[in-house]
Amino acid sequence: MGTYPKKSSAEWFIDQLNVENAKLLAFALVIGFIGYHGILHLRYGPDSCTWLLSSGRYKGDHEWQPYGCMLHKYSKTDARRCLRYLAFWGKYNSFAFIGDSRLEQLYEYFIGVLRTRLKLDSSYSTIDHHQPNYTYVDNKLKLSVTFIWSEDVSRTMVEQFRTWQYSDRPPSVIVASIGLNLVKTHNATEPILEEYKRNLTQLVQPIDSLSGRGSQVLWKLLEDVDQKTVKISNSDIDAYNRAAVEILQHSATKIWNSARLAGAPGAGPGLQHAAQILLNMFCNDHMNFNDGTCCAQPEPCTQLQLLTFALFLLCAVLAGVRWLWKWSQGIKQRMEGYALVNAVQNETPSALVAMAKLGMIMAYFYLCDRTNFFMKENKYYSEWSFWLPVGYVFALGLFFTDESRSSSHSRVLHREQTNEWKGWMQLVILVYQVTGASKVLPIYMLVRALVSSYLFLTGYGHFYYTWKTGDTGLVRYFRVIFRLNFLTVVLCLTMNRPYQFYSFIPLVSFWYTLMFAIFSLPPHLSPPHSLEPYQSVYTVIKTLGLLSMVTVLYMSEVFFQKIFLMRPWKALFVNSDDDIRQWWLDWKQDRYSMAYGIIFAAAYLLAQKYNLLDDNNHSNLFTPGIALTATLLAFIALGSYITFTFFCTNTFDCNEIHSYVTFLPIIGYIILRNVSGVLRTRHSSLFAWFGTITLELFASQSHIWLAADTHGVLVLVPGVPVFNLILTSYIFIFTAHEIHKLTGIILPYAVPDDWRLVLRNFAIFLAILVPIGIHDGMF
């Protein structure tokens, strides 16, 4: 027998660089981060209000980012809506500021955020006590904001706290901060600091009593000063702050340190962020702002979520019992002196094991997105933060360029090329999502073109398959729909989100269903005669029928709503607010994209029939003259659409025009990608790999990469955003790949080859869905 040479350590290491080991590393990272954040919660507590008040940093857009939670930017309308809501439920909104001139500046800025139409509405008033104490009152909002002057922890301050302590209606929020005058007049000598601590001690008992009655007491630490303009030492300010923390940390006082980090008082940004922190602390738990997680409790787990996870747990238990039985049988066989050869290698993947693994992944999804266990931060957009990752992604993709190896590798839009197209589009969309680039209209429109391209490819691919095979059977339809929707349905059940939350998946499913319904009607396309003229006539008639249905629905929004708001399928097209407008917007933007794909596929097949192009070898598609003309037209088409995105002035007009011109960049890209034989027969294996898991990436991003219903980003490593993004992206990508693999294992069990078994399974699914629908008001 020949001997195999022993692999070197370098070769062994290279062999270990595979997808399965990458998933094991991702799993180890998840376990490690669960332990890390568990320790953080045990040490510092799970209250995100503590994070909001304790620390933070400025992002590149000069917006304040609290430590570990998301800050909603309250407008005047948002703030007044919050207070009006609380007043409606009988809460009296009372704020009290007690301190020196620095706190007075915050008081004035704070009421400026809330006040409007002061001279026109008698409900507003300013009550002067004895200057400089005053109170701002708004009767409509049941609002009272009081400022009380105090330069020291004097008898006046202590008595005021005791007055609040025994008041029938103490303030909802008390903000206190003093010490600047002491620093000016006495410096930070040891006797002065000791006296300062003794005076603070007198506040502990009233503060604890107030906290017990529901008041929140904040002690705002002193901010540093510019020592070039003010003869005050920042080291003395730090000494007074340490003294305050030393005494008050043992009480119910919330130490407010983030305002100190946000900026000096009197400066616009510092006051603005301090006021926003107060409003987030007071309002977030009562309002439904997805981008404000600080001080907001996560939504409770529903009975359906508990039942779903219980079923996953049952699958895990059954899989474990099955594994133990097989293991015991193997031990028994070995003890008897024989064992099956290659039993493990020939074993069919178990659906129970796949469901158990999927349940474990869903538990991680829930932990990331439906709880406050992991941290979340607001998105940050800048031109560099968007275009630099996009450039890096394309540079990396080009590095992995490879020769196409499929049997049809020279064909226009062959499998590797379409996967590559889907892959780089998905990566660009991910960068777009994580940076919040939708606020930039040209980028928004370019990404809309990418979404249209995916629908174009869906129409092209399924029509090409139907033309070649004539397969319009139920098994084919349900397999495609299962692939599209399995993960989405599981996420709807475990994450308590409506189907429309995953907007792209319903869009693709709807258009594929409509296309399947039309082309499954007789007369059918039959492969032996697919090139006959009458088959082309059938295609034209059915495509015109598709376009006619779309146009009729588009011409009347009222008719559109009547169709899609009919029960029981209404639940598939409305969001959590029972609103269909988002579905209407998504539908009309891409109403022709699928048809464009069908028309292109038919034109391509006819061009092949009449030898108008030759893609059976590595040569160019056309003669040099035609190829040059086609390339020039392709550049003009791409340039025209890009120019349109820059000159379009508002989102509404852009969306209205988009559906009519979206074929220009798509056809332009196809021509540039395929006219040259060298380009057509090569592809990026990296992009193609991502293209195979596009659906899983799209559905998963909202829960384990982004956060707060896509309004923020998940934070596993606080304080280092770039490193955090790398780690969360790594876990996210390989989790999506594992879900893709598990879906492939479950698919044959859910959609067997026999159409009768398929209908049986579909009936079982409907039987499960009906009680859920009745509970949610679908019927």
Side-chain angles (χ1 to χ4, degrees):
M1 291 181 64
T3 59
Y4 295 97
K6 185 178 179 180
K7 290 186 177 180
S8 66
S9 56
E11 291 174 326
W12 177 87
F13 179 76
I14 292 173
D15 286 343
Q16 305 311 306
L17 298 177
N18 55 61
V19 172
E20 295 306 316
N21 285 340
K23 292 177 187 175
L24 290 176
L25 178 58
F27 178 74
L29 287 172
V30 168
I31 297 300
F33 283 122
I34 290 175
Y36 170 67
H37 283 266
I39 293 171
L40 288 181
H41 286 301
L42 288 174
R43 184 172 180 182
Y44 301 108
D47 185 9
S48 57
C49 270
T50 304
W51 307 343
L52 171 68
L53 298 173
S54 64
S55 185
R57 70 180 193 280
Y58 276 109
K59 298 184 293 182
D61 54 1
H62 305 295
E63 291 293 332
W64 182 252
Q65 174 60 62
Y67 177 82
C69 63
M70 294 170 59
L71 191 75
H72 175 71
K73 191 172 183 179
Y74 278 83
S75 63
K76 194 183 296 290
T77 302
D78 290 341
R80 293 183 64 81
R81 183 185 295 128
C82 164
L83 298 174
R84 188 179 297 112
Y85 171 81
L86 294 174
F88 175 80
W89 291 106
K91 183 178 178 62
Y92 189 76
N93 304 303
S94 178
F95 295 81
F97 295 79
I98 181 168
D100 52 23
S101 59
R102 286 189 165 188
L103 207 60
E104 184 180 14
Q105 292 173 339
L106 177 57
Y107 162 82
E108 292 174 348
Y109 190 91
F110 184 73
I111 62 174
V113 174
L114 305 175
R115 181 169 48 196
T116 181
R117 304 190 310 276
L118 179 62
K119 296 180 181 180
L120 303 178
D121 198 328
S122 60
S123 66
Y124 303 97
S125 66
T126 300
I127 302 173
D128 293 329
H129 301 294
H130 51 85
Q131 287 292 344
N133 299 348
Y134 29 83
T135 300
Y136 168 76
V137 176
D138 185 332
N139 294 323
K140 285 185 176 179
L141 303 180
K142 294 184 180 179
L143 172 66
S144 170
V145 187
T146 301
F147 174 74
I148 299 171
W149 179 270
S150 179
E151 292 186 334
D152 193 2
V153 188
S154 60
R155 178 178 297 179
T156 302
M157 175 178 275
V158 175
E159 289 178 352
Q160 182 61 60
F161 269 90
R162 287 175 178 166
T163 300
W164 287 328
Q165 177 185 357
Y166 298 110
S167 172
D168 293 334
R169 193 164 59 186
S172 307
V173 177
I174 300 171
V175 183
S177 179
I178 57 95
L180 189 62
N181 186 60
L182 290 174
V183 177
K184 286 181 180 178
T185 57
H186 297 90
N187 296 328
T189 61
E190 192 66 31
I192 296 298
L193 287 174
E194 289 299 323
E195 182 182 356
Y196 180 62
K197 292 178 184 179
R198 285 193 299 271
N199 293 339
L200 283 173
T201 304
Q202 299 180 59
L203 297 178
V204 171
Q205 192 274 333
I207 288 173
D208 289 343
S209 178
L210 285 165
S211 178
R213 299 178 60 190
S215 297
Q216 299 187 71
V217 182
L218 279 60
W219 187 271
K220 182 171 171 288
L221 298 182
L222 298 174
E223 298 91 347
D224 291 342
V225 298
D226 185 355
Q227 296 184 182
K228 296 179 180 178
T229 59
V230 182
K231 294 182 179 179
I232 296 177
S233 171
N234 284 329
S235 60
D236 288 347
I237 290 178
D238 292 338
Y240 275 91
N241 283 335
R242 286 193 299 270
V245 172
E246 180 183 340
I247 299 301
L248 297 177
Q249 67 181 345
H250 302 294
S251 69
T253 309
K254 296 182 177 180
I255 305 297
W256 189 2
N257 183 53
S258 57
R260 175 174 177 252
L261 301 174
L271 291 175
Q272 175 190 347
H273 297 318
Q276 289 293 331
I277 289 170
L278 279 178
L279 288 169
N280 275 261
M281 182 195 73
F282 188 71
C283 289
N284 278 0
D285 202 27
H286 305 288
M287 305 304 291
N288 192 28
F289 295 122
N290 289 320
D291 61 342
T293 63
C294 297
C295 302
Q297 294 297 318
E299 63 182 44
C301 189
T302 65
Q303 292 182 348
L304 182 58
Q305 287 174 287
L306 291 173
L307 180 60
T308 305
F309 280 113
L311 291 174
F312 278 127
L313 181 61
L314 177 62
C315 290
V317 171
L318 293 176
V321 170
R322 183 170 177 266
W323 180 85
L324 286 174
W325 181 81
K326 285 191 171 183
W327 177 78
S328 64
Q329 290 297 109
I331 295 296
K332 181 180 178 181
Q333 290 176 355
R334 289 187 181 90
M335 291 179 65
E336 293 175 355
Y338 64 91
L340 294 175
V341 179
N342 294 330
V344 176
Q345 287 79 352
N346 296 329
E347 185 177 356
T348 304
S350 168
L352 270 179
V353 174
M355 290 295 290
K357 289 181 178 179
L358 185 62
M360 184 171 60
I361 293 172
M362 289 301 108
Y364 174 64
F365 275 55
Y366 185 87
L367 197 63
C368 289
D369 197 39
R370 299 293 98 192
T371 71
N372 286 338
F373 185 80
F374 291 121
M375 300 175 182
K376 303 169 179 66
E377 288 187 356
N378 298 86
K379 295 179 180 179
Y380 160 60
Y381 172 79
S382 71
E383 291 187 2
W384 280 106
S385 68
F386 176 79
W387 291 111
L388 189 62
V390 168
Y392 178 76
V393 161
F394 277 100
L396 197 61
L398 291 174
F399 182 77
F400 285 92
T401 300
D402 195 9
E403 186 79 22
S404 299
R405 294 184 175 84
S406 67
S407 57
S408 57
H409 67 279
S410 65
R411 183 170 61 83
V412 172
L413 292 180
H414 56 80
R415 175 59 62 88
E416 286 93 345
Q417 189 182 128
T418 55
N419 281 341
E420 174 201 80
W421 192 356
K422 292 177 183 179
W424 71 254
M425 288 193 302
Q426 183 61 53
L427 291 174
V428 171
I429 291 172
L430 289 176
V431 175
Y432 166 84
Q433 292 280 16
V434 81
T435 57
S438 58
K439 63 183 72 173
V440 182
L441 187 55
I443 296 178
Y444 167 78
M445 292 309 301
L446 290 173
V447 170
R448 287 306 315 174
L450 299 186
V451 175
S452 300
S453 300
Y454 195 100
L455 289 168
F456 176 94
L457 286 175
T458 303
Y460 169 85
H462 290 298
F463 177 81
Y464 189 91
Y465 176 86
T466 303
W467 182 282
K468 289 293 186 181
T469 65
D471 185 1
T472 55
L474 286 176
V475 175
R476 162 72 179 175
Y477 170 75
F478 277 105
R479 282 185 174 169
V480 173
I481 290 296
F482 184 87
R483 275 283 190 188
L484 287 171
N485 289 275
F486 174 66
L487 175 59
T488 304
V489 171
V490 171
L491 288 173
C492 289
L493 296 174
T494 54
M495 299 293 111
N496 191 31
R497 285 296 172 265
Y499 184 56
Q500 272 299 315
F501 178 76
Y502 310 93
S503 55
F504 179 70
I505 308 298
L507 199 62
V508 177
S509 301
F510 169 80
W511 287 116
Y512 173 70
T513 299
L514 187 60
M515 173 188 167
F516 174 83
I518 290 175
F519 281 93
S520 62
L521 293 174
H524 299 124
L525 298 178
S526 52
H529 309 287
S530 59
L531 296 180
E532 296 297 330
Y534 66 86
Q535 294 281 357
S536 301
V537 174
Y538 295 160
T539 300
V540 170
I541 293 173
K542 292 188 176 188
T543 305
L544 288 175
L546 173 64
L547 291 172
S548 300
M549 291 175 60
V550 170
T551 303
V552 168
L553 284 171
Y554 172 70
M555 289 174 64
S556 173
E557 186 175 353
V558 174
F559 179 64
F560 178 90
Q561 292 188 6
K562 285 184 178 180
I563 295 295
F564 288 101
L565 289 178
M566 291 178 63
R567 298 178 187 274
W569 57 72
K570 170 187 173 181
L572 299 176
F573 303 107
V574 296
N575 59 19
S576 55
D577 296 325
D578 207 37
D579 190 355
I580 200 174
R581 282 178 296 181
Q582 188 59 48
W583 169 247
W584 163 249
L585 176 63
D586 293 340
W587 181 92
K588 73 174 183 177
Q589 282 181 327
D590 291 305
R591 62 187 181 275
Y592 298 129
S593 299
M594 179 79 81
Y596 291 149
I598 295 172
I599 293 169
F600 178 82
Y604 166 66
L605 289 165
L606 290 174
Q608 280 187 321
K609 174 184 177 182
Y610 294 106
N611 298 319
L612 298 179
L613 57 82
D614 181 14
D615 61 352
N616 294 318
N617 50 57
H618 288 222
S619 62
N620 296 340
L621 283 180
F622 309 110
T623 59
I626 298 177
L628 183 61
T629 303
T631 302
L632 180 61
L633 291 175
F635 276 116
I636 292 174
L638 284 169
S640 299
Y641 187 85
I642 294 172
T643 303
F644 152 71
T645 64
F646 280 96
F647 281 92
C648 196
T649 56
N650 61 77
T651 305
F652 178 80
D653 291 341
C654 287
N655 288 335
E656 288 298 313
I657 299 171
H658 168 79
S659 61
Y660 299 107
V661 298
T662 188
F663 70 91
L664 291 174
I666 296 173
I667 302 300
Y669 173 81
I670 293 174
I671 292 174
L672 292 177
R673 186 68 180 82
N674 289 274
V675 71
S676 167
V678 175
L679 290 177
R680 191 173 68 252
T681 56
R682 298 185 67 84
H683 73 284
S684 169
S685 56
L686 178 68
F687 288 155
W689 185 84
F690 277 101
T692 61
I693 57 172
T694 299
L695 293 172
E696 290 78 13
L697 288 172
F698 188 90
S700 302
Q701 63 173 329
S702 306
H703 303 293
I704 59 170
W705 196 53
L706 304 175
D709 292 346
T710 73
H711 290 85
V713 295
L714 180 68
V715 176
L716 298 179
V717 188
V720 279
V722 174
F723 183 59
N724 173 76
L725 183 63
I726 292 172
L727 285 178
T728 55
S729 300
Y730 178 84
I731 295 171
F732 160 56
I733 289 167
F734 286 104
T735 300
H737 189 276
E738 180 65 14
I739 294 173
H740 176 79
K741 176 183 174 182
L742 297 176
T743 303
I745 294 173
I746 298 169
L747 175 62
Y749 296 93
V751 189
D753 294 331
D754 190 337
W755 65 269
R756 290 178 289 268
L757 296 178
V758 172
L759 290 179
R760 180 204 64 185
N761 291 351
F762 182 60
I764 294 172
F765 174 71
L766 290 179
I768 295 171
L769 198 63
V770 166
I772 299 173
I774 294 173
H775 180 269
D776 292 342
M778 287 173 59
F779 301 99

